Amino acid sequence: MTSSLTDLRRDVEDFLYREAKMLDEQRYDEWLGLFTEDVRYWMPITETREVRQHRDHVPGEWSLMEEDARFLAKRMERLAGGLAHSEQPRSRTRRFISNVLVTPGPNGDLVVECNFIVFQSRRANSEQFFVGSRRDRIVTSGESWKIAERTVLLDHRVLPRAISIFF
Amino acid sequence: MTSISERPVDVAAAGLHDLVKPDEGAVSRTVFVDEAIYRTELDRVFTKTWLFIGHESQLSEPGDYLTNFMGEDPVIATRGADGAIRVMLNSCAHRGMAVCSTDAGTSKFFRCPYHGWTYSNNGDLIGVPRADTVYNGELDKSRLGLKAVPRVETYKGFVFANWDENAIPLVDYLGADQLWYLDLAFEAPLGGLEVIGPTMKFRIKANWKLAAENFAGDDYHVLYTHGSAFQIGFLPDYDMLADYIAHFDHGHGMGDISKPGRAYQNDVGMAQFLGPEAIEYVTAVHERLQARVSPLQAEMHGLGEGNIFPNLSWIKFGVFHVFGLFQWHPKGPGEIEVWQTALFDRGAPQSVKDFARTQMSQENAAAGIFGQDDGENFEQITESARGVVSQTRDFNYAMGLGHEGEVHEEGYPGHLGPHYSEQNHRNFYRYWLELMTTPGEQK
Ligand code: FES
Ligand SMILES: [Fe+2]
């Protein structure tokens, strides 16, 4: 690996860690600012199938989340409004990001893959881990990095609870 | 100062009639947490009623299969070489291993991973390793198939099964009054309904009845539980959406029923916002309804949500809403495994499909803004019902008590009630009580 790629990965890790911290600290307005205006945020449903009958996630099938920037902003507005009972009071979360791989793409884009574990502690005794992987396309222009596409793959077939947090 | 009522906490000391009093609008919290009552439910409710298995579009070819649950019993549904759909227990006749561990797929047979007994997809035992030597050729394979669910019936593509051989036919169980409404969802699609992706599954640490009764017509909660959706403009004024609720025989209930014309107007308004393809689509669907259902049904145009007793809830507003199914699979008295299936019109334009699909994920799904908040209620209600003092305080279902039958809309079948009433909850528990106090025969 060239040292420039190592440097690049370090920068990407820094970006991802800062993003995770924003979410853990519920700095949602800042988090929204990390996405392009035409972002595609996609979290398909995981299936269990026979070895030779595996299917890839199919765009156009219904998903856990399939959002644009407008609806992500609506979700943030909802959280800020005080009537979102699933996050009132807020869950405590802790995000762990690892196994970061960076592949430079055309036009200065970066394809960034990582694994994550998110711990959620809700109210007094609702606790769960969400585990999965992410694949982002990050567009870069100089110092400014924005996420233009994010695919979140949760490894759970049965989610431990409804999703009120972000990945 | 709260006083402790006369309600005995000990279930053994109290008959179910004392715990559940639908006509007084009172249901004891005990029935949401008690293990013995839960076991009785599995036996007397879930083996006596028609339970949803899947949609024919999921089993389109011979050999296709899917797995599901009936109560806590795992089942496989298959389409055989003869084209028939069968439902059988997903548990090996030898020593109980699951013979299928996947969601869905295609297979002519199921081989048990434990000792390799092999079943055809119609449930017959067709292969036993070394049967001639280890069983001395004496094993009667004909008696060791997968246990078949005796009754499997379909209504307009929706497959249901029932463990009770003597059950009334599915169409009578659903009932003509309820189907008068539901037919709108089945007849409107231009190209028929199809399942639009995998089943979404998640857990809620709550009793299954809390979710079922909610969808049966608890429109009252929408105003506050889903207040955030109104706050951010996801929904218009709720009173603009619907006018009535209705309940039916066999515990079924339905909410957000609108006066003739209202749902069509709402869809037309939505179409203006969505664009020309959507405008054309609303017109085409409305014309199709006019050709296929009664004039009043066509004028009604759209639905709301409901619960098909015991644990199949659904949601379907106008033509831009998917037909969403929720199976509240019980996993003990304090836990639900939610299985959500989404269906939409195969014949809708792509732009309408895209809108409907994403809107459902954002609304009433695992990460949807409605789904999240509902689960929060059900969990904390269940948690509080465990306390011995809270068990002395019955849940209150008194809204509209003494005023039933006062609402009328010409031609609308079922027991109609005002938009906000707990009449449907009472109907749910009336049927639940009837089943729970009817001893079952030997299965
Ligand atoms: S348990 Fe299935 S073959 Fe033994
Ligand atoms: Fe709700």
Side-chain angles (χ1 to χ4, degrees):
Chain A
M1 188 189 283
T2 66
S3 69
S4 72
L5 200 52
T6 314
D7 288 347
L8 182 59
R9 195 178 65 199
R10 208 168 286 143
D11 288 346
V12 167
E13 282 173 347
D14 192 67
F15 178 82
L16 296 179
Y17 294 162
R18 285 178 195 283
E19 186 212 342
K21 195 168 158 71
M22 280 176 202
L23 283 172
D24 285 343
E25 294 175 358
Q26 291 139 22
R27 291 185 276 129
Y28 293 131
D29 288 341
E30 276 178 75
W31 185 66
L32 273 183
L34 296 179
F35 295 95
T36 61
E37 270 164 33
D38 60 352
V39 63
R40 190 180 135 70
Y41 184 104
W42 186 38
M43 183 153 62
I45 299 169
T46 301
E47 288 185 279
T48 307
R49 298 181 68 98
E50 298 287 343
V51 170
R52 275 180 298 277
Q53 297 184 17
H54 177 79
R55 269 172 13 121
D56 276 335
H57 303 288
V58 186
E61 290 193 343
W62 91 306
S63 310
L64 288 160
M65 282 175 81
E66 193 178 353
E67 316 272 291
D68 52 18
R70 193 194 65 88
F71 200 75
L72 282 177
K74 280 282 166 201
R75 287 187 185 268
M76 300 309 141
E77 184 187 334
R78 177 181 116 87
L79 289 176
L83 285 177
H85 309 289
S86 61
E87 280 299 322
Q88 166 69 297
R90 292 277 191 271
S91 297
R92 292 164 293 276
T93 60
R94 198 63 56 200
R95 288 169 173 75
F96 300 85
I97 306 289
S98 75
N99 304 55
V100 176
L101 289 175
V102 185
T103 313
N107 312 320
D109 285 7
L110 301 174
V111 174
V112 174
E113 296 163 280
C114 71
N115 293 350
F116 62 80
I117 297 175
V118 181
F119 174 68
Q120 177 189 25
S121 166
R122 173 124 203 82
R123 305 190 307 261
N125 53 15
S126 170
E127 293 188 344
Q128 42 274 322
F129 289 97
F130 290 92
V131 181
S133 67
R134 262 185 352 211
R135 185 190 173 89
D136 295 336
R137 185 168 63 83
I138 297 179
V139 296
T140 62
S141 83
E143 291 298 285
S144 141
W145 287 20
K146 299 251 183 199
I147 302 165
E149 265 175 66
R150 167 161 290 180
T151 304
V152 182
L153 299 178
L154 289 165
D155 290 322
H156 311 257
R157 181 58 186 101
V158 180
L159 297 164
R161 91 177 245 123
I163 295 173
S164 59
I165 57 176
F166 295 89
F167 299 97
Chain B
M1 155 94 204
T2 343
S3 71
I4 293 174
S5 83
E6 54 298 334
R7 161 85 57 234
V9 170
D10 182 357
V11 186
L16 280 172
H17 284 286
D18 190 36
L19 294 172
V20 178
K21 298 174 179 167
D23 298 332
E24 293 170 31
V27 176
S28 164
R29 299 180 189 211
T30 305
V31 305
F32 299 91
V33 292
D34 183 77
E35 270 296 333
I37 291 176
Y38 175 72
R39 299 300 308 172
T40 309
E41 279 179 337
L42 289 181
D43 186 40
R44 294 187 181 177
V45 174
F46 288 92
T47 68
K48 296 289 169 204
T49 49
W50 285 97
L51 304 176
F52 175 68
I53 299 297
H55 186 257
E56 281 184 335
S57 66
Q58 294 168 293
L59 298 170
S60 52
E61 299 298 323
D64 286 353
Y65 72 85
L66 59 82
T67 51
N68 207 326
F69 279 91
M70 296 174 72
E72 290 217 43
D73 287 306
V75 293
I76 314 174
T78 64
R79 189 181 287 275
D82 57 357
I85 293 176
R86 294 180 180 81
V87 183
M88 55 207 94
L89 198 63
N90 184 8
S91 179
C92 183
H94 181 216
R95 287 225 300 284
M97 173 64 189
V99 300
C100 178
S101 304
T102 53
D103 298 335
T106 306
S107 186
K108 289 198 172 67
F109 59 85
F110 300 98
R111 179 165 291 141
C112 178
Y114 197 178
H115 311 95
W117 286 24
T118 302
Y119 303 87
S120 76
N121 66 3
N122 63 18
D124 295 338
L125 178 61
I126 52 173
V128 173
R130 305 190 185 199
D132 289 347
T133 52
V134 297
Y135 287 106
N136 304 302
E138 290 162 10
L139 190 75
D140 183 359
K141 287 201 228 134
S142 71
R143 297 181 53 230
L144 292 165
L146 296 175
K147 183 168 175 60
V149 185
R151 296 284 299 280
V152 180
E153 290 175 19
T154 297
Y155 184 79
K156 297 191 178 174
F158 292 80
V159 183
F160 287 73
N162 196 323
W163 288 109
D164 180 5
E165 230 157 318
N166 303 313
I168 59 171
L170 171 66
V171 63
D172 297 333
Y173 176 75
L174 297 172
D177 286 354
Q178 177 177 227
L179 291 173
W180 188 90
Y181 297 93
L182 279 174
D183 275 346
L184 286 178
F186 307 144
E187 297 296 343
L190 303 180
L193 285 172
E194 64 177 343
V195 170
I196 57 169
T199 307
M200 191 182 286
K201 302 179 183 178
F202 64 102
R203 293 255 176 162
I204 305 176
K205 290 195 174 56
N207 185 269
W208 68 272
K209 294 189 290 301
L210 295 169
E213 60 157 64
N214 175 277
F215 272 77
D218 195 310
D219 292 358
Y220 185 45
H221 88 287
V222 178
L223 296 165
Y224 191 69
T225 293
H226 304 305
S228 69
F230 299 104
Q231 204 176 37
I232 64 170
F234 191 84
L235 277 184
D237 178 1
Y238 189 46
D239 293 315
M240 290 294 296
L241 210 59
D243 306 276
Y244 309 116
I245 64 173
H247 67 72
F248 311 94
D249 289 352
H250 310 121
H252 312 305
M254 198 177 284
D256 282 329
I257 295 170
S258 54
K259 284 192 195 271
R262 190 195 276 286
Y264 181 60
Q265 282 318 313
N266 286 342
D267 269 355
V268 170
M270 179 85 103
Q272 307 289 337
F273 161 78
L274 290 173
E277 273 192 340
I279 295 173
E280 251 174 67
Y281 181 65
V282 177
T283 311
V285 170
H286 200 62
E287 280 169 6
R288 183 183 162 89
L289 279 175
Q290 285 166 332
R292 295 176 73 95
V293 295
S294 74
L296 182 61
Q297 282 169 294
E299 230 195 309
M300 196 184 145
H301 178 84
L303 296 167
E305 72 291 313
N307 186 64
I308 294 171
F309 192 92
N311 65 332
L312 176 68
S313 292
W314 57 270
I315 186 162
K316 171 73 180 134
F317 282 89
V319 300
F320 299 115
H321 203 290
V322 303
F323 188 60
L325 296 175
F326 308 73
Q327 291 182 275
W328 312 111
H329 285 313
K331 301 285 174 191
E335 192 149 2
I336 307 170
E337 194 168 292
V338 186
W339 285 33
Q340 273 196 255
T341 311
L343 300 104
F344 200 63
D345 182 356
R346 198 183 265 118
Q350 192 57 45
S351 63
V352 170
K353 286 183 177 176
D354 292 344
F355 172 80
R357 180 185 73 244
T358 50
Q359 197 246 17
M360 183 64 178
S361 299
Q362 291 158 3
E363 177 208 274
N364 238 305
I369 61 179
F370 285 68
Q372 300 170 31
D373 290 341
D374 281 327
E376 192 79 7
N377 287 334
F378 307 151
E379 281 194 6
Q380 295 202 65
I381 292 169
T382 304
E383 197 174 314
S384 82
R386 294 197 182 95
V388 289
V389 177
S390 27
Q391 284 183 21
T392 64
R393 311 292 296 171
D394 290 346
F395 287 153
N396 183 302
Y397 298 92
M399 193 186 300
L401 202 60
H403 296 277
E404 290 194 24
E406 289 178 4
V407 163
H408 185 73
E409 178 69 49
E410 192 57 40
Y412 277 26
H415 300 263
L416 219 57
H419 200 189
Y420 307 114
S421 164
E422 281 155 356
Q423 63 158 31
N424 289 12
H425 306 65
R426 295 191 287 274
N427 179 62
F428 178 97
Y429 288 105
R430 227 174 266 128
Y431 190 59
W432 181 89
L433 190 60
E434 183 184 325
L435 292 173
M436 289 290 283
T437 51
T438 307
E441 314 88 57
Q442 207 57 43
K443 268 173 289 298

